[in-house]
Amino acid sequence: MSTTGAPPRAGRKQWLGLAVLALPTLLVSFDVFAMLLALPQLSADLGASSTQQLWIMDMYGFMVGGFLVTMGTLGDRIGRRKLLLIGAAVFGAASLMAAFSTSPEMLIAARALLGISGATLAPSTLALISNMFRDPKQMSMAIGIWAGCFSIGAIVGPIAGGAMLSTFWWGSVFLLGVPAMALLLLLGPVVLPEYKAPQAGRLDLPSVALSLAAVLPFIYGLKTVAKEGWEPLPTGAAVLGLLLGAVFVRRQRRLASPLLDLRLFGNAPLSAALVSMLFYSALTGTTMLFITQYFQSVDSMSPLAAGLGLLPGMAASILSITVSPMLARRIRPAFLIAGGLALVVAGFVVLLRAEADSGTAYLVVGWALNGLGGGPLMALGTNLVVGSAPPERAGSAASLSQTSNEFGYGLGIAVVGTVGTAIYRDRVSGALPADLPAAAAEAARESVAGAVSASSGLTGPLATDLLAAAREAFTAGMLTVVGISVVLLAAVALLVAVVLRHVPVLGAPAAGGPDADAGQDGNGPQAPAESGRAVAAAPAG
């Protein structure tokens, strides 16, 4: 590639800026895991009912999912650094509010503020990275580091959260976000550039309202279906979300300056990356949920030991995400991502060898292979989404990447997870001891955790038979989820290999010059034909 007109390479200030941007990224995944550990203590201290506990856990995710698209577009309009700093200030204040909450309602409100401000963090940080690192190789490395921070947060969250909860009160886990946000507010104006889309139109408030009205009931429906099954209220909420989503799409097609530029989806690499990440998040997220339940309810591991059982997979994911951008300089994204997904499928085949009494070895090894194989998709998929969008739409594209992951996880739990739960309930209902007390039988039919809890009140062969039936049934349900995942992930790997086959290696010009576009159909967004935007993808046409 000629050096004439080559994008500038990032220097020390940009890499320092990346370190600052890593702070909010770490906190996003840290919050989820720390919250799981703190829930029993805070529920007892605040007197939270079971319904309030669900809202305390889910409110953050509802708000993040609901506001991602709006915040990504808002950052493009008012300035990405400005929005990030506003979000950091609100996040810090909401963390203090959560830490010192005196009632469940106050904590739920704090979690809502954390979710709204958290929705500014991921799209703003990712869009700023696209401004700071214009060289495609450096950008891919920066995005890989950014993506790896989510896995690091998932590792640090249970360890640091557990240590703080064993020494301090439950509110201490929320205070960890305060110094991180303070550091971001202090250093952000110095090391982070500002970017605002030139000639940005006005923010269409009806579109914002429609976006929230579509996303919030849809996410609520998915999460509630995963817990309670296909009851009328959550099913109706999900359907309402879809209908309002259709209205939202129609409005965006008519606006000159839409909240979400639907022309982005005309770029084949971007669309393929979004679909792939959605399915990967859905299938691996659901599988991880079943694995952690297996660790605790089938193999009788403590919560800490169950978390440690996932660490090899998390460590493999960090390594893979970090190395993938370097491999992409020599291997086309289609082959690298598809090959990684083939390794994920191989890991899931290892998971299929697990039995109720086989121990955890198959699960630990299979999950580690998943972490190693999923790295190219997580690093390069995000890279494709952001790099395929024109600079003024990077924030919007970044929000799509995060929304894909958020929806994918909820969709996976609601659909694939429901199948696994149905298999469990069908199997366990036919295998329970005939003389089992009605209350214990009802608890066992509800979940494997309920069966384990009910067995503690029984003695002798009755308790043993109950546990054996529940564990066999749960393992059957888990293996069904894994089997479905194998088939769908193999299909995703094939999709990636076909759709992205013309995308060049990282940093190479597209075949046919800057006007060529792999997968271009004439409907993609118009972007400057500069090599700094061709991030592992042909320039958007």
Side-chain angles (χ1 to χ4, degrees):
M1 181 172 63
S2 172
T3 59
T4 303
R9 291 181 60 82
R12 180 180 303 176
K13 181 178 180 180
Q14 284 74 29
W15 290 107
L16 179 59
L18 178 63
V20 173
L21 293 177
L23 294 173
T25 307
L26 285 168
L27 283 175
V28 170
S29 53
F30 177 93
D31 176 88
V32 175
F33 286 90
M35 190 66 212
L36 287 171
L37 295 175
L39 188 62
Q41 290 186 27
L42 68 86
S43 298
D45 187 38
L46 299 178
S49 66
S50 58
T51 301
Q52 289 172 328
Q53 291 179 43
L54 291 176
W55 280 109
I56 289 170
M57 279 300 305
D58 291 341
M59 182 57 75
Y60 180 87
F62 286 164
M63 294 296 104
V64 169
F67 280 89
L68 271 171
V69 171
T70 297
M71 293 304 181
T73 304
L74 183 61
D76 290 338
R77 282 167 165 75
I78 71 170
R80 294 162 186 170
R81 185 183 68 183
K82 182 178 182 178
L83 182 64
L84 175 64
L85 296 179
I86 292 173
V90 176
F91 195 96
S95 297
L96 287 171
M97 179 180 172
F100 297 102
S101 292
T102 56
S103 68
E105 293 80 7
M106 183 177 177
L107 182 56
I108 291 170
R111 294 281 291 166
L113 287 175
L114 284 169
I116 294 172
S117 57
T120 69
L121 302 180
S124 295
T125 55
L126 190 52
L128 281 171
I129 287 173
S130 73
N131 298 133
M132 295 159 57
F133 298 89
R134 305 308 299 267
D135 177 81
K137 295 180 180 179
Q138 287 188 323
M139 184 193 282
S140 66
M141 181 62 68
I143 290 178
I145 294 171
W146 176 88
C149 287
F150 286 101
S151 296
I152 295 174
I155 291 175
V156 175
I159 297 173
M164 296 193 73
L165 288 171
S166 64
T167 306
F168 307 106
W169 91 114
W170 57 264
S172 62
V173 298
F174 293 106
L175 294 180
L176 289 174
V178 176
M181 293 298 107
L183 193 60
L184 175 58
L185 289 170
L186 180 65
L187 296 179
V190 179
V191 299
L192 299 178
E194 182 57 286
Y195 181 90
K196 182 165 61 174
Q199 300 177 340
R202 294 171 59 88
L203 188 67
D204 184 56
L205 294 181
S207 292
V208 173
L210 273 174
S211 171
L212 295 175
V215 171
L216 291 178
F218 185 70
I219 294 178
Y220 165 78
L222 290 182
K223 287 182 175 285
T224 308
V225 163
K227 296 184 180 76
E228 302 176 4
W230 295 93
E231 297 294 330
L233 180 59
T235 304
V239 172
L240 176 63
L242 289 175
L243 293 176
L244 291 174
V247 176
F248 172 81
V249 168
R250 288 189 62 186
R251 181 173 181 82
Q252 302 315 294
R253 291 185 183 278
R254 297 198 305 264
L255 293 176
S257 182
L259 180 69
L260 177 62
D261 190 350
L262 300 178
R263 293 176 300 168
L264 289 172
F265 295 99
N267 183 284
L270 182 147
S271 296
L274 287 175
V275 170
S276 301
M277 289 191 292
L278 184 143
F279 273 92
Y280 181 78
S281 177
L283 299 171
T284 59
T286 305
T287 301
M288 184 179 73
L289 179 64
F290 275 79
I291 288 176
T292 55
Q293 291 183 77
Y294 180 101
F295 282 161
Q296 297 181 71
S297 297
V298 177
D299 207 56
S300 302
M301 296 171 67
S302 68
L304 178 59
L308 293 175
L310 296 175
L311 283 185
M314 299 292 188
S317 177
I318 294 172
L319 174 64
S320 181
I321 289 171
T322 305
V323 171
S324 292
M326 292 183 280
L327 295 177
R329 299 173 187 177
R330 297 183 177 275
I331 305 173
R332 285 177 177 260
F335 305 133
L336 188 56
I337 296 175
L341 289 175
L343 185 58
V344 173
V345 170
F348 276 46
V349 170
V350 174
L351 296 179
L352 287 172
R353 297 183 61 86
E355 299 177 1
D357 57 355
S358 63
T360 60
Y362 289 125
L363 300 186
V364 172
V365 172
W367 191 248
L369 290 174
N370 162 69
L372 196 61
L377 175 60
M378 299 309 294
L380 302 180
T382 304
N383 207 21
L384 281 164
V385 172
V386 178
S388 297
E392 65 274 9
R393 289 291 184 182
S396 182
S399 71
L400 289 177
S401 173
Q402 297 307 301
T403 301
S404 176
N405 290 327
E406 182 73 23
F407 278 5
Y409 181 73
L411 193 62
I413 297 296
V415 179
V416 184
T418 299
V419 173
T421 301
I423 295 294
Y424 165 78
R425 289 174 177 168
D426 179 69
R427 294 286 185 93
V428 79
S429 295
L432 293 174
D435 54 345
L436 190 67
E442 182 64 25
R445 292 189 188 97
E446 182 64 26
S447 67
V448 66
V452 172
S453 177
S455 70
S456 63
L458 305 174
T459 58
L462 196 59
T464 303
D465 292 344
L466 170 60
L467 283 176
R471 287 168 173 169
E472 288 285 352
F474 179 81
T475 303
M478 181 185 73
L479 295 182
T480 301
V481 168
V482 174
I484 294 172
S485 300
V486 166
V487 174
L488 293 179
L489 286 170
V492 171
L494 181 62
L495 169 72
V496 169
V498 172
V499 175
L500 302 184
R501 66 188 185 278
H502 297 305
V503 177
V505 296
L506 192 64
D515 295 328
D517 184 4
Q520 180 180 343
D521 61 4
N523 297 320
Q526 296 299 317
E530 55 171 305
S531 57
R533 300 300 306 170
V535 184

